[in-house]
Amino acid sequence: MAFKFQGVDFIEFDSLLSENELLVRNSTRSFIEDKLVPIIEQCNRDGRFPRELVRPMGDQGYFGATLDGYGCAGINNVEYGLLTQELERGDSGIRSFVSVQSALVMYPIYTFGSEEQKNLWLPKMATGEKLGCFGLTEPDFGSNPGGMRTRARKDGDDYVLNGEKMWITSGSIADVAVIWAKVEEPGVSAENWRVRGFLVETDRPGFSAHDVKGKWSLRASVTSGLSMQEVRVPAANVLPGSDGLKSPLMCLSQARYGISWGAIGAAMACYDMALQYAKERKQFRDQPIASHQLVQEKLAWIITEITKAQLLALQVGRLKDEGKAAFQHISMAKKNNVWMALECARMARDILGAAGISDEYPIMRHMMNLESVKTYEGTHDIHTLIIGQSVTGISAF
Ligand SMILES: Cc1cc2nc3c(=O)[nH]c(=O)nc-3n(C[C@H](O)[C@H](O)[C@H](O)COP(=O)(O)OP(=O)(O)OC[C@H]3O[C@@H](n4cnc5c(N)ncnc54)[C@H](O)[C@@H]3O)c2cc1C
């Protein structure tokens, strides 16, 4: 059966959006429909990132889209959310790529970088000519990045980096890595060394990347381990405004916000598919399965959860545009909306019966992708603890 995405709007959500917001949403929807949907299942099968879409996405202004100047689009946070929603409606791997390029590489350069660094990297990253990755997680430090072992040692006018990073999106295709490392301070105990951000060109001697193979999730995205052995960078490659762990956490807040919208896109794709399938598939007395109450209960649950998630994301987006979004607001939106999308994907898969496990339909791919999305950028549990800390004033980490 050939299906085309119909859009999902139960309570006239679109009436809450401005003309420009709708324009961004609709143009991204068309781009994804024309360019990604026809190739994504094969990319997923092959474990291939569709690199041929990078420059066209740059032409559309998708990279660093909320930043002003340096060739960036300067859109608002709700427009950006709708952009990530539509990207992830296509595939979480493509949205991950754009999130990393935008929120985890261009944003820290824009926020913590020198004018030289901004001029050098941002215009080329906006077009997709240069790609970036973000190295925070290590083999032994995921939810607790403060324990990181990656070190930077001052040596004359240079810094020398040593360490391992793991699970790094776009690691082996990046031209530059934003590496978070503890700066050695003689006479100060290692646990008190400050975390700072370094721009590390990936062709520097001692830097290498190897791809993670055998992933069942985000197969159309590149995930790598990074190794740095005596990698020498000039002091001009330090992000001068970066200071402590709060700097990478600020980047993660940006990315988590985009994810909270992206997950809605994945849920919409699953819902739309399941609804259309349920109306056509006939079982018992030649009736569509959509006529059975138990199937309707599932569809009603899904559309209700999508609608609640849209309202949550929109409110956080509006707060963000007013400069009032706190990290715990973003944690709630990321945690709830990714959980919601994963539950919707599981229910939608169930509605398709056996067909749901086939990649003739997008649902199982979204479900597998969302398992990663639930874990990265702060796991579901960690966001629970952030919300818990916010309401009680007590940290349970
Ligand atoms: C596909 C993919 C792409 C990624 N891309 C990047 C990237 O580009 N850059 C980057 O730096 N990282 C990236 N990551 C890493 C990601 O951010 C980490 O996987 C994540 O932070 C969780 O760390 P971990 O996997 O080591 O799990 P762990 O921290 O080992 O957690 C394992 C389990 O223990 C739970 N847990 C841990 N601590 C607590 C606690 N205090 N209380 C209760 N439960 C707890 C967690 O919730 C989880 O369920 C990526 C991961 C994936 C899967």
Side-chain angles (χ1 to χ4, degrees), residues 4 60 71 73 96 118 141 226 230 334 337 348:
K4 195 166 164 52
Q60 297 290 318
S96 298
K118 292 183 206 182
F141 298 94
L226 308 179
E230 294 289 292
K334 192 270 184 183
N337 291 6

Side-chain angles (χ1 to χ4, degrees), residues 134 136-137 142-143 167-169 218 372 375-377 379 381 385:
F134 175 90
L136 180 66
T137 305
S143 298
W167 301 109
I168 306 305
T169 302
L218 293 185
S372 284
T375 286
Y376 71 24
E377 300 282 349
T379 68
D381 298 331
L385 298 181

